[in-house]
Amino acid sequence: MDGSLGEVSTPGRVADDGEGISAQELALAARNHGLPLEALRYEVTPAGLHYVLVHYDIPAAEAGTWRLSVGGRVRTPLDLDVAALRALPAVTHRVTMECAGNGRARLLPRPVSQPWLVEAVGTAEWTGVPLRTVLAEAGVLPDAVEAVFTGADHGVERGVEQDYRRSLPVRVATGEDPPVLIAYAMNGGPLPPQHGHPLRLVVPGWYGMAHVKWLRDITLADAPFTGFQQSVAYRYRQAPDDPGVAVTRMLPRALLVPPGFPDFMSRVRVVRPGPVRLAGRAWSGGGPVVRVEVSADGGAGWARARLAPREPGGWAWQAWRYDWTATPGRHTLSARATDAEGRTQPLEQPWNRGGFGNNLVQRVPVLCCR
Amino acid sequence: MDGSLGEVSTPGRVADDGEGISAQELALAARNHGLPLEALRYEVTPAGLHYVLVHYDIPAAEAGTWRLSVGGRVRTPLDLDVAALRALPAVTHRVTMECAGNGRARLLPRPVSQPWLVEAVGTAEWTGVPLRTVLAEAGVLPDAVEAVFTGADHGVERGVEQDYRRSLPVRVATGEDPPVLIAYAMNGGPLPPQHGHPLRLVVPGWYGMAHVKWLRDITLADAPFTGFQQSVAYRYRQAPDDPGVAVTRMLPRALLVPPGFPDFMSRVRVVRPGPVRLAGRAWSGGGPVVRVEVSADGGAGWARARLAPREPGGWAWQAWRYDWTATPGRHTLSARATDAEGRTQPLEQPWNRGGFGNNLVQRVPVLCCR
């Protein structure tokens, strides 16, 4: 009780064997939310159904007075308002975004953090200015190696008081693949407060932690950024003292629109015997998904689904479908995506201490009855 | 494994002593979401931040083909499309809505269902047609005692396959206090899918279960409705065989906008020493809130907050504020509302088996440090 931050902000931990979801994890689950899986039916996710993860508080941000500064290793520091960004040529990209911690709550042992099951995903049409346009205006100096992005959300995490801050290598920030955006619109409307109003970064193909919300500063730096969200959080590591590997692009994943109708509490699906059209979406940050397979027996046998191609230059999920014949009894439905780089989803989940990149195949329990 | 619904849909239960939040409760928490408490700053809640509870799936509903039927004990059965409703004189009401199960996850023992903490609330501007206008057009027959409202969401709950369905007494359905609406717009836009697109009922002052979403049928009945959501769920009862008392209007409650900034995991708030403006909202379904008191010592001492009056005829929460001086150390902030009928929030939570109407005063842990 000495009034230090360490009292209220403790180190990361994994849950004890058999430890249920804690009150702290539940408080995060009640604030942040996933995509209700039936909303996979929408090619573009309505804004209020897109997953959202806010580390601290949603800032009280006003578009009219918002400023974005661009500085550090640039020829001409900039101080832009939203109107100045809106005056630049705009682009729109349809982008699937997934939280790096999706699936964390199913890991054993369970890293204690935002307890996602499988639903931390969404696809939106983001409109804004290419980041490279703004960086070209500022003039990135040759010794710059990273662009550091600062959001307005402020808090404490694992004992470290901070603004949310992440970096990208200059070659990614100034590149066209992926086309990094400073976005001011989502699905044709202003960004909602929880999605970064009035400005956010969008980094197609990368997990959500890279898409810095409430973006207020970009600083070009001549050394790699070593802040909390880059060097402590969002690394694949096996032990606390393992330096780990940076979390970057999304691993391949397919999800099913759960068929039939649910039980309120168990969420088990009920279908009638006979033909059932299964459908879903599949995506990868490593390129197009080239194959989706479906299993109706918990992963013993797999059959190929019909998969829509990815739009050329696109960054959104691809629709797939499969015609299944339901027979009375219990079934477990799964779908498995493989991307153009040959990566596929595991049937047994690898483990890492932060609970990142968990693309274990989904299992949808179904009861078929008359 | 006989393929019956009872396999996947079990009776309601309360958690065992010390039982953590279960995977099933977590799955509900990941789908449904509360109001992030900092969003109490908005007088009208942006649509994606308003709490949402969906019993089954969000239906795939299209405004263009939607029909609302009105039948049963009426002179002239109606079959209306959305355009026909939009052609009638519209009204807009600002309404605070709270889930009847708000606070359930803090009960001991804990009823196992949607595990809300304190955040299942929101305020929106609902636009639509007064229900009494539509019922007058249909002509309610003198022997009708209740109007039964059916939504398009279909599922199983505690072994009972059902469309979501609730009733109101005819005197409430045809009355002006509260002004019951068939709403087609929220905050000036079409209803979002998760809030009942394209039509929902809004029953100002009542807990959320009465505001039937995806409204597709209204049937006037000459006997009280005894369906699942009326006679089994949403009753204050102490034991499974207790007939219980119907859940209707919201009990008084005040919530604080959490001051300062949070720790990511514990959500404990950090403030600096000195003056801190505390602010929040308070509401009751039983009339205006007439007093809000604030405690900075966990409920030992209370001081009166400045409270904005309720709009005449209004159904929305009222803003309140209180100037607190923070001193170094740990504090617990609380606010307590009292309504015009003299009801106030308890400091020790009464218990009921469904976990309804839990308006225990909020406790916000704060660390004040330099």
Side-chain angles (χ1 to χ4, degrees), chain A residues 1 3 7-9 29-31 34 38 41 55-58 156 161 262-264 266-267 269 272 330 369, chain B residues 3 7-9 29-31 34 38 41 55-58 156 161 262-264 266-267 269 272 330 369:
Chain A
M1 299 293 281
E7 283 181 32
V8 301
S9 191
R31 286 178 56 76
E38 67 273 24
R41 77 166 75 100
H55 276 244
Y56 314 121
D57 281 357
I58 298 167
V156 194
E161 186 177 338
D263 175 61
F264 168 71
S266 71
R267 307 314 293 178
R269 312 298 303 191
R272 307 300 181 205
R330 300 291 294 267
C369 64
Chain B
E7 282 181 31
V8 301
S9 191
R31 288 178 54 77
E38 67 273 26
R41 78 166 74 98
H55 276 244
Y56 314 121
D57 281 357
I58 299 168
V156 194
E161 185 177 338
D263 174 62
F264 168 71
S266 71
R267 308 312 295 176
R269 312 297 303 190
R272 306 299 182 208
R330 300 292 295 268
C369 63

Side-chain angles (χ1 to χ4, degrees), chain A residues 13-20 108-110:
Chain A
R13 69 178 187 94
V14 297
D16 293 336
D17 190 25
E19 180 186 341
L108 279 174
R110 182 181 79 249

Side-chain angles (χ1 to χ4, degrees), chain A residues 4-357:
Chain A
S4 76
L5 290 179
E7 283 181 32
V8 301
S9 191
T10 52
R13 69 178 187 94
V14 297
D16 293 336
D17 190 25
E19 180 186 341
I21 299 291
S22 65
Q24 291 189 355
E25 289 165 286
L26 179 60
L28 285 173
R31 286 178 56 76
N32 299 306
H33 69 87
L35 177 83
L37 293 179
E38 67 273 24
L40 286 163
R41 77 166 75 100
Y42 305 107
E43 180 114 27
V44 174
T45 310
L49 296 174
H50 194 291
Y51 100 87
V52 63
L53 179 80
V54 175
H55 276 244
Y56 314 121
D57 281 357
I58 298 167
E62 299 283 346
T65 54
W66 197 260
R67 311 298 296 195
L68 171 65
S69 51
V70 184
R73 303 301 302 152
V74 296
R75 264 193 306 277
T76 313
L78 305 176
D79 178 30
L80 302 164
D81 59 16
V82 176
L85 288 165
R86 283 184 173 268
L88 294 170
V91 294
T92 297
H93 290 290
R94 187 176 291 187
V95 175
T96 295
M97 195 185 299
E98 183 183 9
C99 185
N102 199 10
R104 178 185 290 124
R106 296 203 187 280
L107 294 183
L108 279 174
R110 182 181 79 249
V112 175
S113 183
Q114 171 71 35
W116 295 122
L117 294 163
V118 73
E119 61 292 303
V121 67
T123 294
E125 293 201 321
W126 301 100
T127 300
V129 180
L131 175 62
R132 63 179 182 281
T133 302
V134 172
L135 293 183
E137 197 171 312
V140 175
L141 293 175
D143 62 352
V145 297
E146 288 199 351
V148 181
F149 304 90
T150 303
D153 45 335
H154 184 87
V156 194
E157 194 165 346
R158 314 303 185 195
V160 182
E161 186 177 338
Q162 59 191 288
D163 291 337
Y164 188 86
R165 189 171 282 145
R166 287 271 313 177
S167 74
L168 291 173
V170 162
R171 71 181 156 69
V172 175
T174 58
E176 299 191 22
D177 183 11
V180 183
L181 281 190
I182 301 173
Y184 48 73
M186 180 184 192
N187 297 350
L191 297 184
Q194 71 274 29
H195 287 291
H197 186 85
L199 296 177
R200 75 174 298 170
L201 206 63
V202 173
V203 189
W206 287 50
Y207 280 118
M209 76 280 149
H211 307 236
V212 176
K213 297 189 283 292
W214 313 290
L215 182 67
R216 62 172 186 76
D217 182 75
I218 304 172
T219 295
L220 279 293
D222 60 6
F225 176 62
T226 58
F228 180 89
Q229 303 295 347
Q230 208 86 16
S231 312
V232 181
Y234 295 116
R235 298 188 79 82
Y236 295 108
R237 47 164 66 99
Q238 292 299 313
D241 58 350
D242 173 2
V245 172
V247 177
T248 58
R249 290 178 182 245
M250 298 182 292
L251 296 173
R253 192 196 286 268
L255 289 177
L256 281 136
V257 180
F261 54 86
D263 175 61
F264 168 71
M265 193 69 224
S266 71
R267 307 314 293 178
V268 172
R269 312 298 303 191
V270 179
V271 301
R272 307 300 181 205
V276 176
R277 163 66 54 94
L278 301 180
R281 311 274 172 190
W283 66 94
S284 169
V289 170
V290 296
R291 189 169 66 246
V292 170
E293 297 153 291
V294 171
S295 172
D297 55 10
W302 294 89
R304 192 100 171 224
R306 291 193 63 160
L307 174 67
R310 187 155 86 163
E311 295 279 312
W315 297 91
W317 53 27
Q318 296 159 245
W320 60 264
R321 61 191 168 82
Y322 177 80
D323 289 316
W324 175 52
T325 302
T327 53
R330 300 291 294 267
H331 306 277
T332 299
L333 301 176
S334 292
R336 178 170 64 178
T338 302
D339 70 14
E341 296 180 4
R343 287 179 301 198
T344 193
Q345 293 181 248
L347 294 171
E348 293 190 26
Q349 181 62 61
W351 186 89
N352 64 85
R353 196 178 159 81
F356 300 119

